[in-house]
């Protein structure tokens, strides 16, 4: 069960953590942007306002037309997640299982309505990053498994319990040698997220590995008290 400390009352076995996307669609003019409609409004609205005022967003109309974050973000990860082509039941699960991390907004649910905005918020003073606020809100959330598809920048916003967290890494494999895939790793993280929403929720790292292996060659490495588990997706050259 998920709840406590002012958090919305969601129920989820697994949490999937995603980064934002620098590439965004033009908003469609159907909904207006309202900061108070975002996740954790009482705890995060002030910080969001501060960051908007210190970023390129300050010159934009704060009543800009907005759309759900899962639709606005259109980079590689979100293209291959292809959320709106999932069955409605999988989309419903995605709304409770996915957290999207953002420089400007902190943390979002897929349905949170946001406008086009700079991916990177310009930080004008110490203390405006998110690692001082998000842990108190997210640590009390209870789940059996956390699948971390974020880049290292966004991993710093919140570090969930390493005992139940699996960080997703992507490597190209050729003749027994492995090399890190950088930009296109987003493609495979998007595909894995889609795969997780289409399958019965994984309850532990072993079940996550079993789901991943239906589409990928993969290795699972156990973490320790300070480091999460690691699931390596091995992409043939």
């Amino acid at each position: 069960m998920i709840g406590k400390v002012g958090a919305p009352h969601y129920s989820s076995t697994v949490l999937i953590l995603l980064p934002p996307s620098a590439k965004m669609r033009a908003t469609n003019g159907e909904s207006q942007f309202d900061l108070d409609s975002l996740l954790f409004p009482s705890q995060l609205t002030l910080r969001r306002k501060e960051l908007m005022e210190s970023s390129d967003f300050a010159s934009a109309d704060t009543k800009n037309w907005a759309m759900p974050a899962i639709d606005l973000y259109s980079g590689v990860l979100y293209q291959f997640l292809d959320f709106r082509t999932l069955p409605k039941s999988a989309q419903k699960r995605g709304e409770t299982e996915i957290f999207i991390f953002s420089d400007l907004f902190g943390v979002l649910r897929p349905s949170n309505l946001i406008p086009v905005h700079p991916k990177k918020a310009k930080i004008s003073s110490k203390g405006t990053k998110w690692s001082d606020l998000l842990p108190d809100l997210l640590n009390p959330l209870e789940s059996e498994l956390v699948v971390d598809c974020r880049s290292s920048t966004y991993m710093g916003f919140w570090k969930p319990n390493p005992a139940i967290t699996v960080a997703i890494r992507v490597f190209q494999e050729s003749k027994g040698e492995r090399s890190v895939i950088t930009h296109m790793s987003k493609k495979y993280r998007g595909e894995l997220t889609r795969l997780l929403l289409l399958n019965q929720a994984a309850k532990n790292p072993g079940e996550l590995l079993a789901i991943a292996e239906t589409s990928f060659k993969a290795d699972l490495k156990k973490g320790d008290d300070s480091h999460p588990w690691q699931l390596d997706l091995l992409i043939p050259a």
Side-chain angles (χ1 to χ4, degrees), residues 58-69:
S59 61
D61 180 359
T62 57
K63 292 185 179 179
N64 257 340
W65 295 114
M67 68 169 62

Side-chain angles (χ1 to χ4, degrees), residues 38-78:
L38 304 184
L39 187 63
F40 302 122
S42 62
Q43 299 94 339
L44 300 184
T45 291
L46 180 60
R47 176 64 52 83
R48 288 163 175 155
K49 285 181 178 178
E50 291 173 348
L51 291 174
M52 287 165 56
E53 290 169 358
S54 65
S55 75
D56 291 338
F57 193 81
S59 61
D61 180 359
T62 57
K63 292 185 179 179
N64 257 340
W65 295 114
M67 68 169 62
I70 200 71
D71 299 321
L72 181 73
Y73 291 133
S74 58
V76 173
L77 187 153
Y78 291 89

Side-chain angles (χ1 to χ4, degrees), residues 48-185:
R48 288 163 175 155
K49 285 181 178 178
E50 291 173 348
L51 291 174
M52 287 165 56
E53 290 169 358
S54 65
S55 75
D56 291 338
F57 193 81
S59 61
D61 180 359
T62 57
K63 292 185 179 179
N64 257 340
W65 295 114
M67 68 169 62
I70 200 71
D71 299 321
L72 181 73
Y73 291 133
S74 58
V76 173
L77 187 153
Y78 291 89
Q79 290 176 29
F80 285 88
L81 168 55
D82 204 7
F83 189 77
R84 295 302 178 191
T85 66
L86 288 167
K88 293 297 183 184
S89 58
Q91 292 184 40
K92 184 176 180 180
R93 276 185 55 198
E95 178 60 23
T96 63
E97 294 179 4
I98 291 174
F99 280 125
I100 301 172
F101 288 77
S102 159
D103 280 86
L104 198 59
F105 301 117
V107 63
L108 300 163
R109 282 297 189 186
S111 64
N112 283 174
L113 298 171
I114 56 173
V116 174
H117 58 277
K119 179 188 176 187
K120 295 289 185 182
K122 291 182 178 179
I123 307 303
S124 60
S125 62
K126 185 178 180 181
T128 53
K129 278 292 188 182
W130 292 104
S131 59
D132 63 329
L133 288 181
L134 295 184
D136 285 345
L137 297 174
L138 300 179
N139 283 341
L141 305 188
E142 297 174 9
S143 65
E144 297 181 50
L145 181 69
V146 179
V147 180
D148 198 343
C149 293
R150 299 172 297 172
S151 58
S152 57
T153 297
Y154 298 98
M155 286 181 177
F157 285 26
W158 174 51
K159 297 181 180 180
N161 179 1
I164 61 167
T165 302
V166 182
I168 306 303
R169 307 191 305 178
V170 185
F171 295 89
Q172 186 174 72
E173 187 174 55
S174 177
K175 298 179 181 179
E177 298 292 326
R178 297 179 184 179
S179 58
V180 176
I181 295 178
T182 54
H183 177 69
M184 286 310 292
S185 67

